[in-house]
Amino acid sequence: GEDVEQSLFLSVREGDSSVINCTYTDSSSTYLYWYKQEPGAGLQLLTYIFSNMDMKQDQRLTVLLNKKDKHLSLRIADTQTGDSAIYFCAEREVDSGNTPLVFGKGTRLSVIA
Amino acid sequence: EPEVTQTPSHQVTQMGQEVILRCVPISNHLYFYWYRQILGQKVEFLVSFYNNEISEKSEIFDDQFSVERPDGSNFTLKIRSTKLEDSAMYFCANEGTGSTDTQYFGPGTRLTVL
């Protein structure tokens, strides 16, 4: 079955770039997502990319996809203390309609002022 | 951004009791999902629901669980006889019917079973 893996922790200094990595196993057409979870809050969709794309940029966020290695990364430029949260990578197949998401365990990003 | 709401935010119950978790979806978003997150673990899929019936369910979603839309608006998850291991955050998610639509999550209900 599908599986998504992430490193559990990342610590960066305010103003630096953060890079959060994710690997996945699904080999079919897939969407890949990044969600953010702040303490006590739900899952906020940040961005997503389809598996036929290599890169997507949205303001401070850059998503890079290496299809050969099944590796996805989220880069946050100029990281701020407000970016401290857990970041979840998720994937879903798109061939069979509205399918559930498969999540990684989440990466806890700590931003040091 | 569209908003999914959930009630209650926190539910404490005794083992063996029934609980009902509620979700108010985004208007006109017709796909519904329940996920759960046990503390420190992955967010896991429980069940999806469309057109008043279950579309897909995971192994976790056994006979103790049920879902419905009692009034055509709210979407509920019922656990008939709670167990200690049901303690988790339960997230409702909602999605439109477009091919590029995404799932919007509610803030979650923290269920604590004593």
Side-chain angles (χ1 to χ4, degrees):
Chain A
E2 301 157 352
D3 193 22
V4 177
E5 295 291 337
Q6 300 177 240
S7 53
L8 296 182
F9 301 99
L10 177 65
S11 182
V12 299
R13 293 200 175 277
E14 190 175 19
D16 288 350
S17 292
S18 308
V19 179
I20 303 171
N21 295 302
C22 168
T23 57
Y24 62 98
T25 58
D26 186 33
S27 58
S28 61
S29 296
T30 187
Y31 277 104
L32 296 146
Y33 301 82
W34 285 103
Y35 283 84
K36 177 184 180 182
Q37 185 182 33
E38 297 185 55
L43 298 168
Q44 176 196 354
L45 177 66
L46 289 178
T47 186
Y48 64 93
I49 190 169
F50 188 54
S51 56
N52 66 355
M53 299 168 64
D54 297 320
M55 186 184 90
K56 183 177 181 181
Q57 186 156 5
D58 183 3
Q59 299 181 343
R60 291 192 298 124
L61 304 179
T62 303
V63 178
L64 294 177
L65 176 61
N66 181 327
K67 290 182 285 294
K68 175 174 170 290
D69 295 337
K70 294 188 175 60
H71 181 267
L72 181 75
S73 67
L74 174 69
R75 180 177 179 271
I76 305 173
D78 188 24
T79 313
Q80 303 298 306
T81 54
D83 294 324
S84 293
I86 300 176
Y87 290 81
F88 290 94
C89 173
E91 69 164 344
R92 73 187 300 192
E93 291 182 33
V94 295
D95 291 340
S96 48
N98 295 65
T99 52
L101 297 168
V102 177
F103 284 87
K105 273 196 172 184
T107 299
R108 183 180 294 276
L109 175 63
S110 298
V111 182
I112 305 163
Chain B
E1 182 180 292
E3 194 173 88
V4 177
T5 58
Q6 291 184 240
T7 56
S9 56
H10 191 187
Q11 173 91 46
V12 181
T13 189
Q14 295 290 326
M15 191 169 56
Q17 295 296 304
E18 175 184 284
V19 295
I20 298 176
L21 311 182
R22 292 182 172 80
C23 172
V24 179
I26 300 164
S27 178
N28 297 324
H29 279 53
L30 302 180
Y31 284 90
F32 306 90
Y33 303 81
W34 283 101
Y35 293 82
R36 79 171 185 190
Q37 183 185 27
I38 294 172
L39 187 64
Q41 298 189 23
K42 294 185 179 186
V43 177
E44 301 172 291
F45 166 70
L46 292 178
V47 64
S48 58
F49 189 87
Y50 172 69
N51 203 23
N52 290 319
E53 60 182 33
I54 290 174
S55 308
E56 189 173 347
K57 59 183 180 178
S58 71
E59 294 175 351
I60 303 167
F61 194 86
D62 61 21
D63 292 345
Q64 292 300 312
F65 292 88
S66 62
V67 289
E68 63 176 358
R69 292 189 74 192
D71 55 9
S73 174
N74 295 334
F75 180 51
T76 64
L77 174 70
K78 181 192 291 186
I79 309 174
R80 289 190 186 81
S81 177
T82 50
K83 304 185 285 288
L84 295 176
E85 53 265 37
D86 293 327
S87 295
M89 280 290 283
Y90 288 81
F91 293 105
C92 169
N94 199 202
E95 182 177 24
T97 53
S99 59
T100 59
D101 274 352
T102 54
Q103 295 181 23
Y104 294 95
F105 282 75
T109 293
R110 180 171 296 284
L111 176 64
T112 303
V113 182
L114 303 176

